[in-house]
Amino acid sequence: MEHGINEETKAHGDNVFVLVEEYYPKEGRSKDVLEIATESAKSIFGFDGLLMAKTLTPKKVDGAICNITTWESEEYFNSFMKSDALKELVKSPMMATVKEATSDIKVNMYQLALGWHQS
């Protein structure tokens, strides 16, 4: 079997959109921020166009806790951004707490350049 990735390997679609949220917990607040990040990721389960949601914990003590969501397209993501579900999430006590518990939050948006997975 030949090893390598080529254009045909791009099996996830040409318009896949990825959002990466980085939450930098204040000292002693990592557990709180992780709980909020995981609950936030769980709360969008089943939304149209959402392919995957992941919450990552840092290997370094001062690293960011990340939520990564993968969408079928930026249009699906934009639809989610206009949804009542997001409005409720933003107004929730959980989001007020995340602002208190973090020193910084960074959000980055990406288009898929290449996507594959192994079974």
Side-chain angles (χ1 to χ4, degrees):
M1 175 180 193
E2 181 181 327
H3 294 281
I5 298 173
N6 57 43
E7 282 301 309
E8 292 177 18
T9 310
K10 191 173 176 181
H12 293 288
D14 292 333
N15 297 314
V16 172
F17 178 81
V18 178
L19 181 75
V20 178
E21 301 165 295
E22 298 176 339
Y23 300 96
Y24 293 86
K26 291 180 180 174
E27 189 172 335
R29 300 298 301 266
S30 292
K31 184 177 177 182
D32 297 330
V33 174
L34 178 59
E35 183 177 315
I36 292 164
T38 56
E39 287 305 311
S40 173
K42 288 177 188 177
S43 74
I44 63 172
F45 178 81
F47 204 91
D48 284 348
L50 180 64
L51 298 173
M52 180 185 302
K54 295 180 186 180
T55 301
L56 308 177
T57 58
K59 297 285 276 179
K60 296 185 335 183
V61 172
D62 60 348
I65 293 169
C66 298
N67 270 355
I68 301 173
T69 54
T70 305
W71 300 83
E72 286 183 39
S73 68
E74 190 169 359
E75 289 76 23
Y76 277 108
F77 171 74
N78 288 335
S79 176
F80 167 71
M81 292 300 291
K82 295 174 187 173
S83 72
D84 289 339
L86 180 66
K87 290 174 189 169
E88 291 301 315
L89 182 63
V90 169
K91 288 191 277 185
S92 72
M94 179 173 61
M95 286 299 120
T97 302
V98 81
K99 290 176 184 175
E100 294 171 7
T102 56
S103 60
D104 196 12
I105 299 172
K106 295 180 182 178
V107 178
N108 295 294
M109 299 177 190
Y110 300 93
Q111 288 298 135
L112 182 69
L114 176 73
W116 59 274
H117 66 274
Q118 290 182 209
S119 300

PDB file of all heavy atoms in Angstrom, residues 27-49:
ATOM      1  N   GLU A  27      -5.067  31.697  37.052  1.00  0.00           N
ATOM      2  CA  GLU A  27      -4.478  30.734  37.987  1.00  0.00           C
ATOM      3  C   GLU A  27      -5.555  30.158  38.905  1.00  0.00           C
ATOM      4  O   GLU A  27      -6.376  30.890  39.463  1.00  0.00           O
ATOM      5  CB  GLU A  27      -3.389  31.410  38.824  1.00  0.00           C
ATOM      6  CG  GLU A  27      -2.601  30.427  39.658  1.00  0.00           C
ATOM      7  CD  GLU A  27      -1.408  31.068  40.341  1.00  0.00           C
ATOM      8  OE1 GLU A  27      -0.911  32.090  39.845  1.00  0.00           O
ATOM      9  OE2 GLU A  27      -0.990  30.512  41.366  1.00  0.00           O
ATOM     10  N   GLY A  28      -5.581  28.825  38.984  1.00  0.00           N
ATOM     11  CA  GLY A  28      -6.523  28.135  39.845  1.00  0.00           C
ATOM     12  C   GLY A  28      -7.914  27.946  39.248  1.00  0.00           C
ATOM     13  O   GLY A  28      -8.795  27.402  39.907  1.00  0.00           O
ATOM     14  N   ARG A  29      -8.128  28.370  38.003  1.00  0.00           N
ATOM     15  CA  ARG A  29      -9.462  28.288  37.405  1.00  0.00           C
ATOM     16  C   ARG A  29      -9.549  27.289  36.246  1.00  0.00           C
ATOM     17  O   ARG A  29     -10.562  27.216  35.556  1.00  0.00           O
ATOM     18  CB  ARG A  29      -9.906  29.672  36.910  1.00  0.00           C
ATOM     19  CG  ARG A  29      -9.996  30.762  37.949  1.00  0.00           C
ATOM     20  CD  ARG A  29     -11.007  30.513  39.058  1.00  0.00           C
ATOM     21  NE  ARG A  29     -12.376  30.338  38.638  1.00  0.00           N
ATOM     22  CZ  ARG A  29     -13.295  31.283  38.572  1.00  0.00           C
ATOM     23  NH1 ARG A  29     -12.995  32.524  38.899  1.00  0.00           N
ATOM     24  NH2 ARG A  29     -14.522  30.998  38.185  1.00  0.00           N
ATOM     25  N   SER A  30      -8.505  26.501  36.033  1.00  0.00           N
ATOM     26  CA  SER A  30      -8.490  25.550  34.911  1.00  0.00           C
ATOM     27  C   SER A  30      -9.667  24.578  34.960  1.00  0.00           C
ATOM     28  O   SER A  30     -10.289  24.305  33.933  1.00  0.00           O
ATOM     29  CB  SER A  30      -7.182  24.762  34.878  1.00  0.00           C
ATOM     30  OG  SER A  30      -6.125  25.611  34.551  1.00  0.00           O
ATOM     31  N   LYS A  31      -9.977  24.061  36.138  1.00  0.00           N
ATOM     32  CA  LYS A  31     -11.077  23.104  36.260  1.00  0.00           C
ATOM     33  C   LYS A  31     -12.399  23.757  35.855  1.00  0.00           C
ATOM     34  O   LYS A  31     -13.202  23.162  35.142  1.00  0.00           O
ATOM     35  CB  LYS A  31     -11.147  22.569  37.690  1.00  0.00           C
ATOM     36  CG  LYS A  31     -12.191  21.508  37.887  1.00  0.00           C
ATOM     37  CD  LYS A  31     -12.176  20.968  39.307  1.00  0.00           C
ATOM     38  CE  LYS A  31     -13.278  19.954  39.490  1.00  0.00           C
ATOM     39  NZ  LYS A  31     -13.325  19.448  40.858  1.00  0.00           N
ATOM     40  N   ASP A  32     -12.629  24.996  36.307  1.00  0.00           N
ATOM     41  CA  ASP A  32     -13.853  25.718  35.949  1.00  0.00           C
ATOM     42  C   ASP A  32     -13.949  25.931  34.441  1.00  0.00           C
ATOM     43  O   ASP A  32     -14.997  25.714  33.833  1.00  0.00           O
ATOM     44  CB  ASP A  32     -13.901  27.089  36.625  1.00  0.00           C
ATOM     45  CG  ASP A  32     -13.943  27.015  38.137  1.00  0.00           C
ATOM     46  OD1 ASP A  32     -14.487  26.022  38.672  1.00  0.00           O
ATOM     47  OD2 ASP A  32     -13.430  27.949  38.781  1.00  0.00           O
ATOM     48  N   VAL A  33     -12.850  26.367  33.842  1.00  0.00           N
ATOM     49  CA  VAL A  33     -12.848  26.654  32.402  1.00  0.00           C
ATOM     50  C   VAL A  33     -13.041  25.371  31.606  1.00  0.00           C
ATOM     51  O   VAL A  33     -13.790  25.351  30.623  1.00  0.00           O
ATOM     52  CB  VAL A  33     -11.558  27.398  31.989  1.00  0.00           C
ATOM     53  CG1 VAL A  33     -11.474  27.558  30.478  1.00  0.00           C
ATOM     54  CG2 VAL A  33     -11.496  28.765  32.670  1.00  0.00           C
ATOM     55  N   LEU A  34     -12.415  24.281  32.027  1.00  0.00           N
ATOM     56  CA  LEU A  34     -12.598  23.005  31.337  1.00  0.00           C
ATOM     57  C   LEU A  34     -14.053  22.555  31.405  1.00  0.00           C
ATOM     58  O   LEU A  34     -14.618  22.116  30.404  1.00  0.00           O
ATOM     59  CB  LEU A  34     -11.676  21.938  31.925  1.00  0.00           C
ATOM     60  CG  LEU A  34     -11.823  20.540  31.306  1.00  0.00           C
ATOM     61  CD1 LEU A  34     -11.537  20.566  29.807  1.00  0.00           C
ATOM     62  CD2 LEU A  34     -10.903  19.557  32.010  1.00  0.00           C
ATOM     63  N   GLU A  35     -14.669  22.693  32.556  1.00  0.00           N
ATOM     64  CA  GLU A  35     -16.076  22.310  32.709  1.00  0.00           C
ATOM     65  C   GLU A  35     -16.960  23.149  31.773  1.00  0.00           C
ATOM     66  O   GLU A  35     -17.850  22.623  31.103  1.00  0.00           O
ATOM     67  CB  GLU A  35     -16.520  22.491  34.154  1.00  0.00           C
ATOM     68  CG  GLU A  35     -17.938  22.041  34.402  1.00  0.00           C
ATOM     69  CD  GLU A  35     -18.323  22.178  35.871  1.00  0.00           C
ATOM     70  OE1 GLU A  35     -17.535  21.791  36.741  1.00  0.00           O
ATOM     71  OE2 GLU A  35     -19.440  22.679  36.113  1.00  0.00           O
ATOM     72  N   ILE A  36     -16.704  24.428  31.707  1.00  0.00           N
ATOM     73  CA  ILE A  36     -17.488  25.313  30.841  1.00  0.00           C
ATOM     74  C   ILE A  36     -17.263  24.969  29.372  1.00  0.00           C
ATOM     75  O   ILE A  36     -18.214  24.903  28.584  1.00  0.00           O
ATOM     76  CB  ILE A  36     -17.134  26.786  31.116  1.00  0.00           C
ATOM     77  CG1 ILE A  36     -17.637  27.167  32.512  1.00  0.00           C
ATOM     78  CG2 ILE A  36     -17.705  27.700  30.042  1.00  0.00           C
ATOM     79  CD1 ILE A  36     -17.035  28.450  33.044  1.00  0.00           C
ATOM     80  N   ALA A  37     -16.017  24.726  28.997  1.00  0.00           N
ATOM     81  CA  ALA A  37     -15.706  24.394  27.601  1.00  0.00           C
ATOM     82  C   ALA A  37     -16.390  23.098  27.183  1.00  0.00           C
ATOM     83  O   ALA A  37     -16.960  23.008  26.089  1.00  0.00           O
ATOM     84  CB  ALA A  37     -14.196  24.299  27.404  1.00  0.00           C
ATOM     85  N   THR A  38     -16.364  22.088  28.043  1.00  0.00           N
ATOM     86  CA  THR A  38     -16.994  20.820  27.680  1.00  0.00           C
ATOM     87  C   THR A  38     -18.517  20.962  27.625  1.00  0.00           C
ATOM     88  O   THR A  38     -19.158  20.419  26.729  1.00  0.00           O
ATOM     89  CB  THR A  38     -16.596  19.672  28.636  1.00  0.00           C
ATOM     90  OG1 THR A  38     -16.917  20.031  29.972  1.00  0.00           O
ATOM     91  CG2 THR A  38     -15.116  19.357  28.536  1.00  0.00           C
ATOM     92  N   GLU A  39     -19.099  21.701  28.555  1.00  0.00           N
ATOM     93  CA  GLU A  39     -20.551  21.909  28.535  1.00  0.00           C
ATOM     94  C   GLU A  39     -20.960  22.709  27.299  1.00  0.00           C
ATOM     95  O   GLU A  39     -21.991  22.431  26.688  1.00  0.00           O
ATOM     96  CB  GLU A  39     -21.026  22.592  29.814  1.00  0.00           C
ATOM     97  CG  GLU A  39     -21.003  21.686  31.020  1.00  0.00           C
ATOM     98  CD  GLU A  39     -21.788  20.391  30.820  1.00  0.00           C
ATOM     99  OE1 GLU A  39     -22.944  20.448  30.368  1.00  0.00           O
ATOM    100  OE2 GLU A  39     -21.232  19.315  31.116  1.00  0.00           O
ATOM    101  N   SER A  40     -20.164  23.680  26.939  1.00  0.00           N
ATOM    102  CA  SER A  40     -20.435  24.473  25.739  1.00  0.00           C
ATOM    103  C   SER A  40     -20.405  23.597  24.491  1.00  0.00           C
ATOM    104  O   SER A  40     -21.290  23.665  23.639  1.00  0.00           O
ATOM    105  CB  SER A  40     -19.400  25.595  25.628  1.00  0.00           C
ATOM    106  OG  SER A  40     -19.535  26.274  24.418  1.00  0.00           O
ATOM    107  N   ALA A  41     -19.399  22.745  24.392  1.00  0.00           N
ATOM    108  CA  ALA A  41     -19.282  21.842  23.240  1.00  0.00           C
ATOM    109  C   ALA A  41     -20.465  20.864  23.193  1.00  0.00           C
ATOM    110  O   ALA A  41     -21.023  20.603  22.128  1.00  0.00           O
ATOM    111  CB  ALA A  41     -17.961  21.076  23.294  1.00  0.00           C
ATOM    112  N   LYS A  42     -20.858  20.349  24.352  1.00  0.00           N
ATOM    113  CA  LYS A  42     -21.996  19.426  24.402  1.00  0.00           C
ATOM    114  C   LYS A  42     -23.298  20.109  23.996  1.00  0.00           C
ATOM    115  O   LYS A  42     -24.175  19.493  23.399  1.00  0.00           O
ATOM    116  CB  LYS A  42     -22.164  18.858  25.817  1.00  0.00           C
ATOM    117  CG  LYS A  42     -21.117  17.856  26.226  1.00  0.00           C
ATOM    118  CD  LYS A  42     -21.376  17.441  27.662  1.00  0.00           C
ATOM    119  CE  LYS A  42     -20.289  16.599  28.237  1.00  0.00           C
ATOM    120  NZ  LYS A  42     -20.543  16.267  29.664  1.00  0.00           N
ATOM    121  N   SER A  43     -23.416  21.386  24.319  1.00  0.00           N
ATOM    122  CA  SER A  43     -24.684  22.093  24.097  1.00  0.00           C
ATOM    123  C   SER A  43     -25.009  22.306  22.621  1.00  0.00           C
ATOM    124  O   SER A  43     -26.155  22.589  22.284  1.00  0.00           O
ATOM    125  CB  SER A  43     -24.677  23.443  24.822  1.00  0.00           C
ATOM    126  OG  SER A  43     -23.856  24.373  24.149  1.00  0.00           O
ATOM    127  N   ILE A  44     -24.026  22.176  21.743  1.00  0.00           N
ATOM    128  CA  ILE A  44     -24.305  22.386  20.317  1.00  0.00           C
ATOM    129  C   ILE A  44     -24.452  21.070  19.550  1.00  0.00           C
ATOM    130  O   ILE A  44     -24.626  21.070  18.343  1.00  0.00           O
ATOM    131  CB  ILE A  44     -23.249  23.294  19.649  1.00  0.00           C
ATOM    132  CG1 ILE A  44     -21.861  22.656  19.671  1.00  0.00           C
ATOM    133  CG2 ILE A  44     -23.245  24.665  20.303  1.00  0.00           C
ATOM    134  CD1 ILE A  44     -20.837  23.423  18.850  1.00  0.00           C
ATOM    135  N   PHE A  45     -24.419  19.949  20.266  1.00  0.00           N
ATOM    136  CA  PHE A  45     -24.575  18.646  19.629  1.00  0.00           C
ATOM    137  C   PHE A  45     -25.859  18.609  18.814  1.00  0.00           C
ATOM    138  O   PHE A  45     -26.908  19.052  19.250  1.00  0.00           O
ATOM    139  CB  PHE A  45     -24.609  17.534  20.689  1.00  0.00           C
ATOM    140  CG  PHE A  45     -24.807  16.173  20.098  1.00  0.00           C
ATOM    141  CD1 PHE A  45     -23.748  15.479  19.559  1.00  0.00           C
ATOM    142  CD2 PHE A  45     -26.068  15.600  20.057  1.00  0.00           C
ATOM    143  CE1 PHE A  45     -23.930  14.225  19.002  1.00  0.00           C
ATOM    144  CE2 PHE A  45     -26.268  14.354  19.508  1.00  0.00           C
ATOM    145  CZ  PHE A  45     -25.190  13.661  18.971  1.00  0.00           C
ATOM    146  N   GLY A  46     -25.761  18.083  17.605  1.00  0.00           N
ATOM    147  CA  GLY A  46     -26.928  17.904  16.763  1.00  0.00           C
ATOM    148  C   GLY A  46     -27.297  19.111  15.926  1.00  0.00           C
ATOM    149  O   GLY A  46     -28.265  19.057  15.176  1.00  0.00           O
ATOM    150  N   PHE A  47     -26.552  20.197  16.039  1.00  0.00           N
ATOM    151  CA  PHE A  47     -26.887  21.380  15.254  1.00  0.00           C
ATOM    152  C   PHE A  47     -26.591  21.118  13.779  1.00  0.00           C
ATOM    153  O   PHE A  47     -25.591  20.485  13.444  1.00  0.00           O
ATOM    154  CB  PHE A  47     -26.094  22.602  15.751  1.00  0.00           C
ATOM    155  CG  PHE A  47     -26.762  23.887  15.410  1.00  0.00           C
ATOM    156  CD1 PHE A  47     -27.650  24.463  16.287  1.00  0.00           C
ATOM    157  CD2 PHE A  47     -26.536  24.514  14.198  1.00  0.00           C
ATOM    158  CE1 PHE A  47     -28.297  25.641  15.980  1.00  0.00           C
ATOM    159  CE2 PHE A  47     -27.176  25.685  13.866  1.00  0.00           C
ATOM    160  CZ  PHE A  47     -28.058  26.257  14.759  1.00  0.00           C
ATOM    161  N   ASP A  48     -27.470  21.589  12.885  1.00  0.00           N
ATOM    162  CA  ASP A  48     -27.305  21.386  11.440  1.00  0.00           C
ATOM    163  C   ASP A  48     -25.927  21.836  10.970  1.00  0.00           C
ATOM    164  O   ASP A  48     -25.498  22.954  11.265  1.00  0.00           O
ATOM    165  CB  ASP A  48     -28.360  22.168  10.652  1.00  0.00           C
ATOM    166  CG  ASP A  48     -29.714  21.510  10.697  1.00  0.00           C
ATOM    167  OD1 ASP A  48     -29.801  20.345  11.135  1.00  0.00           O
ATOM    168  OD2 ASP A  48     -30.700  22.162  10.292  1.00  0.00           O
ATOM    169  N   GLY A  49     -25.252  20.951  10.254  1.00  0.00           N
ATOM    170  CA  GLY A  49     -23.964  21.272   9.659  1.00  0.00           C
ATOM    171  C   GLY A  49     -22.766  21.026  10.548  1.00  0.00           C
ATOM    172  O   GLY A  49     -21.627  21.104  10.093  1.00  0.00           O
TER     173      GLY A  49
END
